């Protein structure tokens, strides 16, 4: 008699990961690549996306906006004539501080996945929990504003470690801040050595093209094996 | 026969509130007033505290620093010769994004409560969950940086609604931003009409005295009934 032993997984994130894998399978079936975009509140995710998506030629992009409440960000993205779905997390006692795989799953039916090459999921503004919950994404990017100070990689190491790309935003303000860029990069390399990074001002447009190119590269999929 | 019916309280925050009341009772016994200071990451809580505590004459203040990881903020405050305890929340799977009443309770034994008039609890940088967990405080203050944009009261309404004071920080940068202060105040009044607010630059010192005076007022306790 063949016996199989099932180990009870005690990881609190296990249910989330199971659903994230189901999301990922749906994304793969639709040949859409998915980027999870994270940051602290007000670091400039939406402005960066607005600027980058505007000139993203040849890539059919869609956006999933995560916010505790309201649809201000989705309204901004909708002006670009890009498919966008707003996901609000305020159904709980005071609002969830992150997106999880199940929330994302509940929004997938609203998105024309088969018509997309790239889906950008803009997470809730928060440097802790969004890094803990995979949602089925292919890549994770975060936006760190220079106004937040040089110490953030050391104070929120999981977030900086979880990302394939760190966008350092609001560099137009550098002349008016005490922010020491070298020190920030030193701290960044301490928690995520050599992680790809780019200097951007979503406001002036400086460096936005580099981020746009990065998005375009994410959308390129290796041809399926024959 | 006398029968009592106990209703099962389903509020997920009930255990937290029970412990928060125990903290509050301890604070009251020691005649120490407690301020819960909250903000997004990098809004300037620690710098504001450093500047305000430095000249807070006649008030015996202590600080409880909440961070996911590290003791950088506690080290900064310790230079002021103020009793400070660092509380790290990274014991969980990836770090808790807020302080709760039980974490604060675990730190109370390390603080000389009987020798304090005022305890400032600097929460983890996050605009969602810190507003949901009472820790036994008398008053709640939040710091909103003008670099975060005018829309934040609408996107994180619970946080702006939970506070008795909103400190609008980094006003030295106003000339270099597209931030519309009137629009921000309009949004603030939409979620918390008439809430006390002050304009501050923790960096230049502008407005810090007003925050220092506010802290001093919190420390003043009505004399106990005869």
């Amino acid at each position: 008699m063949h016996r199989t032993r099932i180990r009870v997984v005690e990881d609190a994130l296990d249910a989330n990961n199971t659903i994230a894998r189901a999301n990922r399978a749906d994304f793969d079936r639709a040949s859409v690549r998915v980027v999870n975009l994270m940051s602290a509140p007000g670091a400039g995710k939406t402005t960066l996306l607005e600027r980058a998506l505007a000139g993203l030629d040849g890539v059919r992009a869609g956006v999933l906006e995560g916010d505790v409440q309201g649809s201000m960000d989705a309204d901004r993205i909708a002006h670009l004539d890009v498919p966008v779905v707003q996901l609000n997390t305020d159904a709980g006692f005071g609002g969830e501080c992150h997106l999880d795989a199940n929330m994302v799953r509940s929004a997938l039916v609203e998105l024309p996945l088969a018509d997309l090459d790239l889906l950008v999921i803009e997470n809730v503004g928060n440097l802790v929990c969004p890094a803990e919950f995979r949602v089925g994404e292919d890549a994770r990017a975060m936006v760190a504003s220079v106004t937040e100070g040089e110490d953030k990689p050391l104070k929120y190491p999981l977030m900086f470690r979880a990302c394939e790309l760190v966008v350092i935003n609001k560099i137009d303000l550098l002349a008016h801040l005490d922010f020491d860029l070298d020190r920030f990069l030193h701290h960044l390399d301490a928690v995520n050595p050599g992680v790809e990074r780019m200097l951007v001002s979503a406001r002036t447009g400086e460096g936005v093209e580099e981020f746009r190119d990065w998005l375009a590269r994410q959308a390129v999929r290796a041809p399926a094996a024959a």
Side-chain angles (χ1 to χ4, degrees), chain A:
Chain A
M1 182 177 151
H2 182 75
R3 298 182 65 175
T4 305
R5 185 168 170 202
I6 306 289
R7 198 165 53 85
V8 175
V9 180
E10 295 188 278
D11 184 349
L13 292 171
D14 191 59
N16 183 73
N17 288 338
T18 299
I19 301 170
R21 281 192 294 272
N23 291 349
R24 182 61 176 273
D26 285 356
F27 297 143
D28 283 347
R29 250 190 307 275
S31 292
V32 57
R33 295 289 286 270
V34 179
V35 170
N36 187 354
L37 186 62
M38 304 179 282
S39 81
K45 291 187 298 302
T46 312
T47 303
L48 179 67
L49 258 188
E50 282 181 299
R51 301 286 299 239
L53 292 179
L56 192 62
D57 301 327
V59 175
R60 299 169 301 167
V63 176
L64 201 164
E65 283 292 343
D67 281 300
V68 177
Q69 199 170 315
S71 64
M72 299 173 83
D73 290 353
D75 297 345
R76 287 168 63 183
I77 297 294
H79 285 144
L80 298 170
D81 211 17
V82 160
V84 57
V85 171
Q86 177 78 51
L87 198 51
N88 284 140
T89 69
D90 63 353
F93 44 80
E96 291 290 338
C97 64
H98 60 276
L99 294 179
D100 66 25
N102 202 40
M103 296 181 210
V104 168
R105 190 151 193 80
S106 71
L108 293 189
V109 290
E110 308 292 337
L111 281 163
L113 284 188
D115 301 332
L116 298 180
D117 303 310
L118 177 70
L119 174 65
V120 180
I121 299 175
E122 189 183 332
N123 219 306
V124 179
N126 179 353
L127 289 185
V128 187
C129 301
E132 296 164 1
F133 289 83
R134 289 245 163 219
V135 295
E137 69 274 46
D138 296 276
R140 308 171 110 190
M142 74 161 292
V143 181
S145 165
V146 294
T147 58
E148 295 163 9
E150 306 101 355
D151 57 347
K152 293 302 162 293
L154 300 183
K155 294 183 74 177
Y156 303 91
L158 184 69
M159 172 60 74
F160 285 86
R161 204 172 279 144
C163 289
E164 280 81 44
L165 171 69
V166 175
V167 178
I168 301 163
N169 192 24
K170 307 198 188 181
I171 58 166
D172 57 296
L173 295 175
L174 277 176
H176 312 294
L177 302 171
D178 301 319
F179 185 83
D180 182 335
L181 181 59
D182 286 338
R183 201 172 157 83
F184 175 86
L185 295 175
H186 179 77
H187 291 158
L188 177 59
D189 281 321
V191 301
N192 194 350
V195 61
E196 188 172 356
R197 77 277 321 254
M198 46 187 73
L199 298 174
V200 169
S201 168
R203 183 183 180 222
T204 68
E206 187 179 349
V208 168
E209 193 170 346
E210 200 182 347
F211 178 65
R212 189 183 292 127
D213 291 345
W214 184 87
L215 285 178
R217 284 202 304 279
Q218 304 311 307
V220 174
R221 171 172 292 270

